[in-house]
Amino acid sequence: MSLRPTVDFLLNDWLGVEALNQRERFADHSRETFDAVLDTCERIAREKYAPFNRTVDTQEPHFDGERVVLPQATHDAHQAYAESGMLSAAQDYAIGGMQLPYTVEAAANAFFAMASVSIGSGMLTVGNANLLMAHGTEAQKRVFALNEFAGRWSGTMCLSEPQAGSSLSDVATRAVPDGEGFMDDPLGPRFRLKGNKMWISAGEHELTENIVHLVLAKIPGPDGKLPPGVKGISLFVVPKKLVDADARLTGERNDVALAGLNHKCGWRGTTNTLLNFGEGRFPVRGAAGAIGYLVGQPGEGLRCMFHMMNEARIGVGMAATMLGMAGYHASLDYAKNRPQGRPVGPQGKDPSRPQSRIIEHADVKRMLLAQKSYCEGALALELYCARLVDEQHTGAPEAADEARLLLEVLTPIAKSWPSEWCLEANSLAIQVHGGYGYTRDFPVEQYWRDNRLNMIHEGTHGIQAMDLLGRKVLMENGRGLQLLAKRFNATIERALQVPALAAHANALGQALAQLGAATQAAWATGDPAEALANAVPYLQAFGHTVLAWVWLDVALAAQAAPEGAARTGRLAAARFFFHYELPKTGAWLAVVSRRDPTCAELPEEAF
């Protein structure tokens, strides 16, 4: 079974991505150039990634005392990806890019995520370089970002610390001016950093000749104390190896040391590290302290970093989606070929009859249809968000501003919903395999392990939920939520004209009304503690309502498609979601609307 027909349908029949070619930035492109990109990425993923997914899971990164060792397959995959031009696919022609719509770039990267998310496809490197293009100096763009886009160097994001975790206000890494003339360095104001960063993906390896770390740190005040809270956080670019203003390696190692490799249950092909900055293991110019160059203004580091974090959140959502899709494809193939059990007739089971394949059993169909509805729906959501990115960057001013605000509201959903429900798809894939699902003879147990990390990657469910209910639906007087509701209602109006979809349209209208009422009820007292006590059920209900809208819109496109198995399957997946999933929102919103205190008020000793 191939992913390509689904991608083609969503891009062309649903999103109409070819219409972007009418815009000046994409005028050189056509359906043929888009297809060529997809063809190339599909081939590289098939040849360089998929065959080695198990290899990188079993041959984990290890430190030999001098360097981190990765399987040769990882080096080969990274080289093929860099040579494909995908690291700079969306960038200007002037810096070696393709000026490819982000929608097409995201679709093309889906093939790599499905083939082996553990090998990775440069998500952090691209996000790192994009941040520098938005907030860095001209020298920082030229030296660091362009070399990342070229695949010569790779990038990381260094936020978390061992003592702080997700609480960035407690960041303790210090950055002090590096002597006289520190403001005059051609690469930006030069500082010395000291601190520890934890859970840094791709923090140490030999895949590229240099690693560009983007590091959050605080500049001490005149009293030597670090400023409290997130408003005191600044952002620094800290290369593993020092470079000059012409991007040449100076031959000197920066004071960034690997303190240890973290061994997670999944994503084992990607190094995950604890890094020590400025401990003196690699003294620079005779002194301890990692050299870092200020990005943007002091105290505005978190604002700059959110540029990368939001990209990474959509990337994590896509990774979760494609891991779910990989499990769905594997369990569908297994179900079609595994004989077990016999059909039940009026007289019960007839043991003399041949065994049925398990796909003939209603409950197995239920599990497969659930996976299909979760994963194809999530893929549609991620591509829709990617299309909003293109609108934000190339649309008319009013449309671009609407796209910006819609992305603000949808990003927590794009990250969290696939992380929860495509993980559930992986769990169902194991269930379809039965006892074999728990063994390494089949890939589904690895897909589940890999996907389990995504509920924590780039902000946990709880963090995303508080961001959604506590900030995103309130910002600009709720205009983002109003814009989203407007799009919901436009789809509902169209679907009401199609008899087969009218009931779904009415159900979505009711769910939208309940969501709006629950949002108001949560904030009825104006007390954030009460409103946010049930933020996660709110996130779940919001996400399910968004996915119901996505499926209804996709179903409208499917209705217009030629008769066939693909059309039947998409309409069935939409029907499943409306019949089996959307009704769950009522229970979630009930506790939100009541501001149910059960969890918040339970005393610690009662646990």
Side-chain angles (χ1 to χ4, degrees):
M1 183 180 180
S2 171
L3 173 67
R4 184 62 178 275
T6 301
V7 169
D8 286 343
F9 172 83
L10 293 174
L11 285 180
N12 300 305
D13 298 82
W14 182 50
L15 291 174
V17 73
E18 195 173 359
L20 287 170
N21 301 335
Q22 298 171 14
R23 300 184 179 182
E24 182 180 357
R25 180 170 182 79
F26 308 126
D28 292 339
H29 288 292
S30 64
R31 171 73 183 268
E32 287 70 29
T33 62
F34 292 164
D35 284 348
V37 170
L38 297 176
D39 289 343
T40 297
C41 292
E42 187 178 21
R43 176 184 56 79
I44 295 172
R46 181 176 62 249
E47 295 175 357
K48 299 293 186 179
Y49 284 69
F52 307 104
N53 189 46
R54 180 63 80 184
T55 300
V56 299
D57 186 61
T58 55
Q59 298 180 24
E60 292 187 62
H62 67 275
F63 184 58
D64 68 2
E66 296 184 3
R67 63 191 183 95
V68 171
V69 178
L70 293 165
Q72 183 61 41
T74 304
H75 291 263
D76 295 341
H78 179 270
Q79 181 179 352
Y81 186 80
E83 291 175 352
S84 75
M86 286 302 294
L87 286 166
S88 59
Q91 301 304 312
D92 295 348
Y93 293 136
I95 62 171
M98 303 182 203
Q99 292 190 191
L100 195 70
Y102 180 62
T103 313
V104 178
E105 179 189 357
N109 279 323
F111 293 108
F112 299 102
M114 184 169 172
S116 181
V117 73
S118 188
I119 291 178
S121 302
M123 176 183 77
L124 291 175
T125 295
V126 173
N128 179 306
N130 283 339
L131 182 152
L132 291 172
M133 294 299 288
H135 300 289
T137 65
E138 290 304 313
Q140 289 169 350
K141 296 174 189 178
R142 184 184 71 254
V143 172
F144 298 110
L146 296 194
N147 279 292
E148 290 182 272
F149 286 137
R152 180 186 172 201
W153 300 344
S154 59
T156 73
M157 55 189 296
C158 300
L159 290 80
S160 297
E161 297 180 3
Q163 84 291 343
S166 299
S167 180
L168 296 180
S169 62
D170 296 313
V171 161
T173 298
R174 302 170 65 92
V176 298
D178 183 34
E180 293 185 10
F182 79 97
M183 288 294 294
D184 302 322
D185 195 293
L187 293 179
R190 190 180 64 249
F191 286 74
R192 292 269 184 166
L193 276 72
K194 293 185 179 181
N196 315 104
K197 295 294 181 177
M198 187 61 153
W199 313 119
I200 309 306
S201 295
E204 181 60 49
H205 55 74
E206 301 291 324
L207 296 173
T208 55
E209 69 174 30
N210 204 359
I211 301 174
V212 180
H213 302 291
L214 284 176
V215 184
L216 292 182
K218 293 182 176 180
I219 302 171
D223 60 359
K225 295 181 180 180
L226 297 181
V230 297
K231 292 183 179 180
I233 295 175
S234 300
L235 179 64
F236 301 86
V237 56
V238 182
K240 171 185 173 182
K241 299 175 182 177
L242 295 177
V243 300
D244 64 20
D246 294 316
R248 293 174 299 204
L249 299 181
T250 65
E252 190 171 15
R253 173 76 183 263
N254 205 353
D255 196 7
V256 182
L258 175 69
L261 291 173
N262 300 308
H263 297 281
K264 296 186 175 182
C265 71
W267 287 58
R268 293 177 173 177
T270 300
T271 56
N272 190 276
T273 62
L274 169 60
L275 298 178
N276 290 344
F277 290 84
E279 68 175 0
R281 185 172 174 186
F282 302 103
V284 179
R285 297 161 201 159
I291 297 293
Y293 307 97
L294 181 67
V295 178
Q297 297 300 313
E300 295 189 3
L302 199 55
R303 183 181 69 84
C304 295
M305 185 62 92
F306 263 110
H307 187 107
M308 184 176 183
M309 289 167 68
N310 284 333
E311 282 191 34
R313 284 170 176 172
I314 293 175
V316 166
M318 182 63 88
T321 297
M322 301 321 297
L323 281 164
M325 191 76 80
Y328 166 55
H329 282 206
S331 60
L332 177 60
D333 180 69
Y334 184 84
K336 287 180 176 179
N337 291 284
R338 167 70 172 176
Q340 184 173 312
R342 291 166 178 82
V344 179
Q347 307 302 318
K349 293 182 181 180
D350 181 356
S352 67
R353 294 185 62 183
Q355 286 184 312
S356 301
R357 292 171 304 132
I358 62 173
I359 198 171
E360 298 174 49
H361 300 308
D363 193 56
V364 173
K365 289 184 179 180
R366 176 190 63 83
M367 291 188 284
L368 292 170
L369 201 48
Q371 291 178 68
K372 181 179 177 70
S373 75
Y374 300 154
C375 301
E376 290 189 16
L379 178 57
L381 170 65
E382 300 301 329
L383 293 179
Y384 181 82
C385 288
R387 180 63 183 80
L388 288 175
V389 172
D390 285 324
E391 194 66 28
Q392 183 181 1
H393 291 161
T394 65
E398 184 178 350
D401 188 59
E402 286 190 2
R404 171 195 63 82
L405 197 49
L406 284 166
L407 275 169
E408 290 279 9
V409 175
L410 287 176
T411 295
I413 305 300
K415 186 274 173 186
S416 286
W417 197 91
S419 298
E420 179 171 2
W421 295 98
C422 292
L423 177 67
E424 174 62 17
N426 288 132
S427 181
L428 291 171
I430 292 174
Q431 194 73 12
V432 169
H433 280 73
Y436 288 105
Y438 302 110
T439 72
R440 292 198 173 189
D441 298 327
F442 292 87
V444 288
E445 59 86 26
Q446 181 185 343
Y447 296 146
W448 189 93
R449 286 188 288 105
D450 284 341
N451 217 352
R452 186 58 186 83
L453 276 62
N454 288 319
M455 290 182 75
I456 293 178
H457 277 159
E458 304 311 325
T460 65
H461 258 30
I463 288 172
Q464 302 296 336
M466 289 190 288
D467 181 44
L468 178 66
L469 181 55
R471 194 166 72 91
K472 295 298 178 62
V473 299
L474 303 178
M475 65 190 305
E476 300 184 24
N477 296 315
R479 191 165 73 92
L481 189 55
Q482 293 165 15
L483 287 173
L484 189 60
K486 182 179 178 181
R487 301 210 173 190
F488 278 32
N489 285 322
T491 299
I492 289 170
E493 288 178 13
R494 290 168 55 216
L496 284 171
Q497 309 308 311
V498 181
L501 300 179
H504 298 342
N506 284 320
L508 179 58
Q510 294 169 11
L512 178 59
Q514 291 175 342
L515 183 64
T519 306
Q520 291 183 329
W523 285 104
T525 64
D527 183 346
E530 289 188 4
L532 300 178
N534 294 291
V536 166
Y538 181 83
L539 174 77
Q540 291 171 312
F542 199 113
H544 260 50
T545 307
V546 167
L547 265 291
W549 164 59
V550 166
W551 264 119
L552 186 59
D553 212 66
V554 168
L556 283 165
Q559 279 283 351
E563 292 284 351
R567 179 181 185 273
T568 301
R570 289 190 182 99
L571 292 174
R575 186 165 69 251
F576 177 92
F577 200 88
F578 274 90
H579 290 179
Y580 288 75
E581 295 294 331
L582 187 59
K584 295 176 181 177
T585 60
W588 290 323
L589 292 176
V591 295
V592 175
S593 296
R594 294 195 306 268
R595 299 182 300 281
D596 192 302
T598 301
C599 299
E601 292 184 354
L602 186 65
E604 178 182 333
E605 58 271 16
F607 280 95

